[in-house]
């Protein structure tokens, strides 16, 4: 299972674009990259998943370079409610035992 | 149901008592996972079910912990002779069937059961 590395914490301000980068040097050919968001007192919630290049949904964008050894979650025009912990995971459909790190604690300031 | 439902939300028990935590996954989700999450940490894998079959229990800390999913839907995580170190948030997640061409498993988590052992 590929291990991921991401910053422990980040600060930003309302209205800014926030980019959180995750390193996964040992990603396997069949692995996808999935990001989750977790608010205090709640379970993690799926945000976005991608394999290569760029994926965009109504919440975020995910940028994946050609070598796939890293990925960047981009949150456009953040608000205070985006304050949460963001987890990056790598695996495929057979990886039920995903490795969860401590995630990135994102704090948005007014 | 509409989401993953866990009960009880909070459980306070005395050391040495047995506890049972229940998880009702999303209808149609064949995969069910149990995790334990300490404050400030990511979820720690405990066990995994595919339908009613417990396919991996390697994350269960010791033999006081067990889980079942007899009919492939509701699951129960049981902790026998609880100890203070068992205090944690226990989270259940479920996911639909995934096939090799359609990406990785996307988990839907419940709100969790907060266990406190006095």
């Amino acid at each position: 299972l590929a291990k991921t590395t991401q910053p422990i914490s980040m600060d930003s301000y309302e209205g800014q674009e926030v980019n959180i980068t995750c390193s996964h040097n040992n990603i396997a050919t069949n692995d996808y990259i999935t990001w989750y968001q977790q608010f205090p007192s709640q379970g993690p919630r799926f945000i976005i998943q991608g394999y290569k290049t760029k994926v965009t949904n109504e919440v975020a964008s995910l940028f994946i370079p050609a070598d796939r050894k890293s990925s960047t979650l981009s949150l456009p025009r953040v608000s205070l409610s985006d304050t949460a912990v963001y987890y990056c995971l790598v695996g495929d459909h057979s990886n039920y035992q995903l490795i969860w790190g401590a995630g990135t604690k994102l704090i948005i300031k007014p | 149901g509409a989401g993953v439902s866990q009960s009880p939300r909070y459980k306070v028990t005395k050391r040495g008592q047995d506890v049972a935590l229940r998880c009702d996954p999303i209808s149609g989700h064949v995969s069910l996972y149990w995790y334990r999450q300490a404050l400030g940490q990511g979820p720690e894998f405990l066990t995994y079910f595919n339908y009613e079959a417990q396919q991996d229990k390697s994350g269960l800390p010791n033999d006081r912990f067990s889980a079942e999913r007899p009919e492939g839907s509701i699951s129960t995580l049981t902790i026998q002779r609880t100890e203070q170190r068992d205090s944690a948030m226990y989270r259940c997640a479920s996911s639909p069937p995934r096939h090799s061409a359609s990406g990785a498993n996307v988990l839907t988590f419940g709100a969790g059961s907060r266990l406190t052992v006095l």
Side-chain angles (χ1 to χ4, degrees):
Chain A
L1 295 171
K3 193 173 179 181
T4 61
T5 303
Q6 51 184 124
I8 294 174
S9 64
M10 292 180 67
D11 291 353
S12 188
Y13 293 90
E14 282 190 293
Q16 300 294 304
E17 177 184 82
V18 171
N19 297 309
I20 306 174
T21 297
C22 178
S23 297
H24 26 80
N25 291 319
N26 297 322
I27 190 169
T29 302
N30 295 332
D31 286 344
Y32 284 71
I33 300 153
T34 310
W35 285 79
Y36 289 81
Q37 174 191 57
Q38 185 174 23
F39 298 115
S41 302
Q42 295 185 24
R45 182 176 72 111
F46 169 82
I47 303 176
I48 196 166
Q49 182 178 98
Y51 184 80
K52 62 180 179 181
T53 62
K54 176 184 175 182
V55 179
T56 297
N57 62 23
E58 64 279 3
V59 176
S61 294
L62 180 59
F63 298 91
I64 306 168
D67 67 5
R68 304 199 329 121
K69 293 184 182 297
S70 67
S71 59
T72 299
L73 174 73
S74 181
L75 304 172
R77 297 179 302 282
V78 293
S79 64
L80 295 176
S81 63
D82 291 314
T83 294
V85 177
Y86 293 82
Y87 296 96
C88 163
L89 290 99
V90 170
D92 68 10
H93 69 285
S94 65
N95 293 157
Y96 53 83
Q97 199 183 120
L98 297 171
I99 299 175
W100 296 72
T104 297
K105 185 173 184 179
L106 176 64
I107 297 174
I108 305 301
K109 303 175 182 178
Chain B
V4 177
S5 178
Q6 291 188 246
S7 61
R9 287 293 310 277
Y10 302 93
K11 177 69 177 179
V12 180
T13 190
K14 292 183 178 178
R15 186 179 55 182
Q17 297 294 305
D18 298 351
V19 297
L21 308 178
R22 172 189 162 118
C23 173
D24 191 353
I26 291 174
S27 178
H29 279 196
V30 302
S31 299
L32 186 145
Y33 317 74
W34 281 100
Y35 288 88
R36 182 167 66 176
Q37 187 170 21
L39 199 62
Q41 299 297 316
E44 171 194 9
F45 172 81
L46 295 178
T47 188
Y48 163 73
F49 289 85
N50 187 38
Y51 294 95
E52 71 281 359
Q54 187 175 24
Q55 298 205 323
D56 189 335
K57 57 181 181 179
S58 63
L60 297 177
N62 51 60
D63 59 8
R64 295 186 296 105
F65 287 72
S66 63
E68 63 174 9
R69 193 186 185 196
E71 298 179 359
S73 179
I74 293 171
S75 176
T76 302
L77 176 69
T78 301
I79 308 172
Q80 296 180 309
R81 305 180 302 283
T82 53
E83 300 177 4
Q84 287 185 329
R85 59 177 172 158
D86 300 333
S87 297
M89 176 68 80
Y90 290 84
R91 298 198 185 275
C92 173
S94 67
S95 68
R98 300 293 284 191
H99 305 289
S100 60
S102 56
N105 302 316
V106 173
L107 278 59
T108 301
F109 282 82
S113 293
R114 167 76 64 188
L115 174 65
T116 301
V117 182
L118 303 176

